[in-house]
Amino acid sequence: MSVLSVFQIEVNPATEQGFLADATKTLPLAKKQKGLIYLGVFTPLGEKNKYLVLSEWDSEASIEAWRKDPEHNKVMAKAGQYVKNHSVKRFVSKK
């Protein structure tokens, strides 16, 4: 089984640089997480201030462990000042 997480983010233009700085610090930490198979951050063509974070995990439990990570939580606590809109979708493969 694997779980695909699609995190769409629209960032406030005035705080985008802070968002990018925190994302740059957080990605290496995320890539060390047990159960992470793939992680990519993308900007949709023609869309300003929007990002797509695509990650694949070996289980929901691995995602939950990442969500509880203290360093991840420090960054997430500041998300309100950066994020204008967001959505998260998960897709589970039974393979």
Side-chain angles (χ1 to χ4, degrees):
M1 174 177 93
S2 69
V3 181
L4 183 65
S5 176
V6 180
F7 186 24
Q8 297 175 319
I9 308 163
E10 182 177 2
V11 179
N12 290 316
T15 59
E16 187 169 20
Q17 292 306 311
F19 166 79
L20 292 172
D22 277 347
T24 299
K25 288 183 227 170
T26 305
L27 288 176
L29 177 65
K31 288 182 177 183
K32 294 178 184 176
Q33 295 302 301
K34 181 181 177 199
L36 181 69
I37 298 168
Y38 174 80
L39 175 63
V41 180
F42 307 92
T43 54
L45 292 174
E47 301 277 345
K48 292 186 177 188
N49 311 314
K50 292 186 180 179
Y51 297 88
L52 179 69
V53 180
L54 182 64
S55 59
E56 183 179 6
W57 300 81
D58 66 358
S59 67
E60 289 275 358
S62 293
I63 294 173
E64 290 308 311
W66 168 237
R67 291 184 68 214
K68 293 176 182 175
D69 181 273
E71 293 300 315
H72 181 238
N73 284 327
K74 283 182 193 176
V75 173
M76 293 307 292
K78 297 192 294 183
Q81 66 184 332
Y82 304 136
V83 178
K84 187 174 179 180
N85 291 305
H86 75 284
S87 70
V88 179
K89 296 177 184 169
R90 291 187 186 161
F91 304 90
V92 178
S93 167
K94 307 279 184 193
K95 219 176 185 184

